[in-house]
């Protein structure tokens, strides 16, 4: 695949990561899961072939994705803890 097409695909993956983060911020967990499945498919396809992008470009993209994923995880842990607290009140 050409570097231009890989750059487009990486951009789509980053965009999906941003959509996932926005979904988490708005507590739209079902939407997040749906987008995550699409992103997972694109990531698998992206990394299943030789990478022809510049190292800096790919590393910047990966850093962006990981940063968004860390924030999503932080929000998910907060939600989990909230649910755990609510469940404890029911018991």
């Amino acid at each position: 695949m050409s570097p231009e097409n890989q750059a487009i695909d990486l951009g789509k993956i980053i965009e999906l990561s941003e959509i996932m983060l926005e979904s988490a911020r708005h507590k739209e967990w079902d939407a997040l899961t749906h987008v995550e499945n699409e992103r997972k498919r694109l990531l698998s396809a992206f990394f299943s072939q030789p990478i022809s992008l510049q190292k800096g470009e790919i590393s910047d993209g990966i850093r962006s994705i990981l940063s968004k994923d860390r924030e999503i995880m932080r929000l998910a842990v907060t939600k989990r803890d909230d649910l755990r607290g609510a469940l404890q009140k029911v018991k």
Side-chain angles (χ1 to χ4, degrees), residues 59-91:
S59 63
D60 288 347
I62 291 171
R63 273 195 280 283
S64 174
I65 293 164
L66 290 174
S67 173
K68 290 168 183 40
D69 282 356
R70 279 191 296 276
E71 179 68 10
I72 291 165
M73 289 298 297
R74 187 188 67 73
L75 293 166
V77 166
T78 299
K79 178 62 174 176
R80 181 202 63 201
D81 293 347
D82 290 348
L83 290 172
R84 183 180 290 147
L87 183 59
Q88 292 297 326
K89 290 178 183 178
V90 173
K91 288 184 176 181

Side-chain angles (χ1 to χ4, degrees), residues 27-75:
K27 298 178 170 87
E28 296 170 352
W29 303 106
D30 289 338
L32 184 146
T33 302
H34 176 73
V35 175
E36 180 183 26
N37 289 333
E38 176 64 16
R39 185 186 77 163
K40 195 179 298 185
R41 185 187 66 74
L42 287 174
L43 278 167
S44 179
F46 185 83
F47 286 108
S48 69
Q49 48 196 312
I51 304 296
S52 55
L53 293 173
Q54 296 293 322
K55 287 181 184 179
E57 192 173 1
I58 192 74
S59 63
D60 288 347
I62 291 171
R63 273 195 280 283
S64 174
I65 293 164
L66 290 174
S67 173
K68 290 168 183 40
D69 282 356
R70 279 191 296 276
E71 179 68 10
I72 291 165
M73 289 298 297
R74 187 188 67 73
L75 293 166

